């Protein structure tokens, strides 16, 4: 059952494990003083979604591999994974945990805390689709991440402050 733009339905209550092999976090940002567009992705390594009877009390905990950062640029990617930006060797995991959910008819906002390099910032993700098939669900969401709020401020002008993220997370009922 796929939801429509007029009615976003929550999956049945229960605990869902995010399937990292079937989930993606992609992003778009700018570089070179806003002249060029950069597209890339991260790998989801682990996550749990809990949907209780009160859907607004649902929780999401997700882990993303910092070393999985990829734009397919062999010069840029190691630099972003280095201590200049993500410092993936020292901080291998990026964490997201919900703080609250606000439902509307055609979407919901999942507010949470994103932690990168032991620095946390609030992030709002808009869930626009939930496709439920049997005991699994695919959640589609988007949002904007401010890297300065996460303390990643190197190379201002050469790398944009904001990243637009798109998330597709497949979760299977446990």
């Amino acid at each position: 059952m796929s939801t429509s733009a007029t009615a976003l339905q929550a999956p049945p209550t229960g605990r869902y494990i995010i399937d990292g092999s079937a989930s993606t976090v992609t992003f778009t940002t700018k570089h070179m003083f806003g002249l060029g567009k950069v597209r890339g992705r991260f790998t989801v390594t682990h996550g749990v979604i809990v949907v209780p009877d009160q859907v607004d009390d649902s929780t999401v905990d997700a882990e993303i591999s910092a070393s999985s950062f990829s734009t397919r640029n062999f010069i840029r990617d190691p630099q972003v994974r280095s201590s200049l930006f993500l410092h993936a060797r020292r901080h291998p995991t990026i964490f997201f945990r919900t703080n609250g959910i606000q439902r509307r008819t055609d979407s919901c906002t999942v507010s949470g805390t994103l932690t990168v390099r032991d620095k946390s910032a609030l992030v709002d993700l808009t869930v626009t689709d939930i496709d439920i098939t049997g005991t699994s669900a695919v959640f589609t969401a988007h949002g904007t991440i401010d890297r300065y709020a996460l303390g990643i401020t190197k190379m201002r002008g050469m790398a944009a402050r904001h990243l637009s993220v798109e998330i597709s997370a497949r979760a299977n009922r446990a």
Side-chain angles (χ1 to χ4, degrees), residues 12-57:
T13 60
R15 185 172 187 266
Y16 294 79
I17 304 299
I18 296 174
D19 179 355
S21 67
S23 301
T24 59
V25 176
T26 58
F27 64 87
T28 305
T29 190
K30 301 273 186 170
H31 74 103
M32 298 296 291
F33 301 96
L35 298 176
K37 191 176 270 192
V38 176
R39 296 182 199 288
R41 67 178 39 237
F42 286 95
T43 300
V44 178
T45 55
H46 178 73
V48 176
I49 300 169
V50 177
V51 181
D53 289 333
Q54 280 295 110
V55 176
D56 292 349
D57 294 332

Side-chain angles (χ1 to χ4, degrees), residues 1 11-12 16 131-137 171-173:
M1 164 176 86
Y16 294 79
D131 184 10
I132 305 165
T133 307
T135 60
S136 69
N172 301 306
R173 195 164 185 189

Side-chain angles (χ1 to χ4, degrees), residues 31-129:
H31 74 103
M32 298 296 291
F33 301 96
L35 298 176
K37 191 176 270 192
V38 176
R39 296 182 199 288
R41 67 178 39 237
F42 286 95
T43 300
V44 178
T45 55
H46 178 73
V48 176
I49 300 169
V50 177
V51 181
D53 289 333
Q54 280 295 110
V55 176
D56 292 349
D57 294 332
S58 297
T59 60
V60 178
D61 286 294
E63 297 178 9
I64 298 163
S65 168
S67 64
S68 71
F69 173 90
S70 175
T71 62
R72 296 184 174 179
N73 181 308
F74 71 94
I75 295 172
R76 175 189 305 116
D77 293 356
Q79 189 174 40
V80 172
R81 291 188 294 260
S82 78
S83 61
L84 281 174
F85 290 92
L86 297 175
H87 207 323
R89 186 173 299 160
R90 183 176 289 166
H91 306 281
T93 306
I94 297 169
F95 299 96
F96 176 80
R97 172 170 279 169
T98 51
N99 298 333
I101 296 176
Q102 293 181 340
R103 289 190 303 155
R104 290 182 279 299
T105 302
D106 62 343
S107 68
C108 72
T109 300
V110 176
S111 298
T113 302
L114 183 68
T115 303
V116 180
R117 292 177 53 153
D118 292 334
K119 175 85 172 160
S120 297
L122 298 178
V123 173
D124 287 335
L125 300 174
T126 302
V127 178
T128 55
D129 190 43

